[in-house]
Amino acid sequence: PEMLQKYSDSDWVEFLPDRNGSTNSTSCGMRTKLQTIAKSNALDVKREIDIFARKFKYYLMDGVPVHRVLSSNNAGTTEEKVLRLTILNPRSLFGTSLELTRKRRPGVSNVGIPSNFSTAFENITRLSRSPPPALEKNLDEEEKKRFFSIETDLSPGPVMMLAKSKKDAMILLCGLKLLLEREKMISY
């Protein structure tokens, strides 16, 4: 939804505002916006957000092609992957897994591939559009617009990716932030 697009360029941190402290684009900004909408009588806005959240879940369940950046020192070291959401319980995303795997091929297993990544959705602690300084100098302007990363409380560092386009990066980050914030609001 247009009202949430401005939050796609900021970092999301589980319990803190983003690192640049801007009040308009912090992770708490989206949280506050969603809480305000939840308390309001704006049914059309609630419906628009619900529709986007549902479509986004299906988008992720189908698998979104991305390039995993394998080295923070060299942007050219990437591997084509698919970011996929596997929902176990339709009532809650907790217990759901977010997986980054190679494209599925008939008869070929993805189990045990070292560059694959899988995490429980509730373990995500940070989403970022900011590449690490060592990588940023190696990315061109187009790649910087497509860059995003995911961190969990269990990962040794960010899982860095390049979306296929700037629009894909915006949709992925806005959608992931929305789903994470909604789950946290429901769980409190």
Side-chain angles (χ1 to χ4, degrees), residues 22-35:
S22 166
T23 56
N24 289 336
S25 63
T26 65
S27 55
C28 292
M30 180 182 266
R31 187 172 305 145
T32 303
K33 180 79 169 173
L34 291 173
Q35 288 169 341

Side-chain angles (χ1 to χ4, degrees), residues 164-188:
K164 292 285 185 183
S165 67
K166 181 183 179 197
K167 183 179 179 182
D168 281 355
M170 182 203 54
I171 290 169
L172 282 165
L173 282 165
C174 190
L176 286 168
K177 290 175 190 180
L178 174 64
L179 295 181
L180 286 161
E181 287 296 342
R182 286 177 65 164
E183 283 300 309
K184 294 200 181 303
M185 288 170 60
I186 290 169
S187 67
Y188 292 129

